[in-house]
Amino acid sequence: MKFYLISDNIDTQMGMRLAGVEGEVAHTPEEVTTALDKAFSDENIAVVLMTEKLVELCREYVYKLKLSCRRPLIIEIPDRHGSSRVTEAISRYVSEAVGIKL
């Protein structure tokens, strides 16, 4: 089972790629829903990481998926637009998910 990232910026995508997490960048609601549909159709993806900004962009669709689908799990992560202490939060996520301390 793998992780998959849907991010609103390349910086987050590149950081997660260094930790072995593949993903894509989306900016519009249509791109986000397409990326989510792609992730949900892949049987190997167990966890979808989404930046806070994208969850806000498509909140209703994301929560509909969270409530109606058992897999994959959608996790909202902070990015440069989100909470303060971004570096600590992303480092903690990577450490917990992959076992690599940054």
Side-chain angles (χ1 to χ4, degrees):
M1 295 306 217
K2 5 180 238 189
F3 282 75
Y4 191 77
L5 171 73
I6 303 173
S7 174
D8 65 302
N9 65 72
I10 294 174
D11 296 336
T12 303
Q13 181 194 27
M14 296 306 281
M16 295 304 268
R17 185 179 290 163
L18 288 172
V21 178
E22 292 298 319
E24 61 187 282
V25 175
H27 297 288
T28 65
E30 294 79 23
E31 291 174 341
V32 175
T33 56
T34 300
L36 279 168
D37 292 341
K38 177 180 163 186
F40 271 73
S41 67
D42 186 338
E43 293 291 322
N44 294 317
I45 296 175
V47 178
V48 174
L49 303 171
M50 289 185 68
T51 54
E52 291 175 338
K53 185 176 179 182
L54 293 183
V55 171
E56 283 298 320
L57 192 61
C58 298
R59 183 161 297 283
E60 287 182 28
Y61 188 68
V62 169
Y63 283 122
K64 179 183 137 203
L65 289 173
K66 281 185 170 190
L67 292 173
S68 63
C69 300
R70 295 183 64 159
R71 185 213 52 77
L73 177 65
I74 299 175
I75 307 276
E76 186 175 346
I77 62 170
D79 64 1
R80 63 185 175 164
H81 304 291
S83 3
S84 52
R85 305 169 59 151
V86 172
T87 306
E88 293 172 20
I90 291 177
S91 294
R92 188 181 73 247
Y93 282 121
V94 170
S95 177
E96 291 173 2
V98 185
I100 298 173
K101 186 171 182 172
L102 300 176

